[in-house]
Amino acid sequence: MNIRFSLLMIGFLMIGSACKKELSLEEQLEKDIEIIKEYIADQNLTALETSSGLHYVINELGTGNHPLSNDNVTVRYKGYTTNGNVFDQSDAGGATFNLQQVIKGWTEGIPKFKEGGKGILLIPSKLGYGEKGGGSIPPNTVLIFEVDLLTIVQ
């Protein structure tokens, strides 16, 4: 009787693990966009969406130039997940980096602002840290960044 029970339990475990299906990239993007749209509605934001799934809110467009996707920029920012957990933020002076050396959501999103612009980037996981995650950020996590584009560094 114990052998039958053990075999039955092993069968249930195998079926259960076989049912845990990984989402395809397209399915994960759809899930992320649902999460982003729910967040936008809950926060009463007005956001624009790009074809990649990036959503952004322009609170202040700014008065300077738009950076190009390969420019060096100084940005003051705060990054958090949809549940409000802050995972990174700059100091008041901002951080300087090249837009080719950051996550794809920043490479695409920061050029939506002009120097002096402020807003929010809502980034699906494929434009963030993807299925592997990074540091304290779990895999397939939607990222939110409050950004203030201080300058384009010449």
Side-chain angles (χ1 to χ4, degrees):
M1 203 58 139
N2 280 342
I3 293 175
R4 283 187 189 171
F5 180 73
S6 295
L7 290 174
L8 185 63
M9 290 306 294
I10 290 171
F12 281 131
L13 290 173
M14 289 174 64
I15 290 170
S17 63
C19 291
K20 278 188 174 178
K21 182 185 119 190
E22 295 288 323
L23 295 178
S24 71
L25 291 175
E26 295 81 22
E27 291 168 329
Q28 184 63 51
L29 179 59
E30 287 175 18
K31 179 180 176 187
D32 289 349
I33 289 174
E34 285 178 27
I35 292 168
I36 290 170
K37 288 185 175 182
E38 183 177 316
Y39 183 87
I40 288 168
D42 290 347
Q43 300 297 314
N44 198 29
L45 300 172
T46 302
L48 300 168
E49 180 179 0
T50 70
S51 61
S52 69
L54 172 74
H55 289 68
Y56 61 100
V57 176
I58 297 177
N59 294 328
E60 294 177 34
L61 180 58
T63 57
N65 294 318
H66 285 280
L68 301 174
S69 63
N70 61 348
D71 279 341
N72 293 313
V73 295
T74 301
V75 178
R76 182 172 34 240
Y77 67 91
K78 178 176 162 184
Y80 49 95
T81 58
T82 56
N83 64 8
N85 289 339
V86 176
F87 57 82
D88 193 16
Q89 66 184 34
S90 67
D91 60 24
T96 301
F97 48 83
N98 184 281
L99 288 174
Q100 291 297 307
Q101 298 173 339
V102 293
I103 60 173
K104 292 177 185 176
W106 275 56
T107 303
E108 181 181 349
I110 295 297
K112 303 294 184 191
F113 302 92
K114 293 181 177 183
E115 284 179 296
K118 297 179 183 184
I120 302 170
L121 298 176
L122 301 110
I123 302 174
S125 60
K126 79 170 191 168
L127 300 177
Y129 293 97
E131 59 189 17
K132 294 184 179 183
S136 65
I137 302 166
N140 296 317
T141 300
V142 169
L143 306 176
I144 302 168
F145 286 92
E146 295 174 10
V147 296
D148 182 355
L149 176 55
L150 300 174
T151 60
I152 300 171
V153 181
Q154 300 301 321

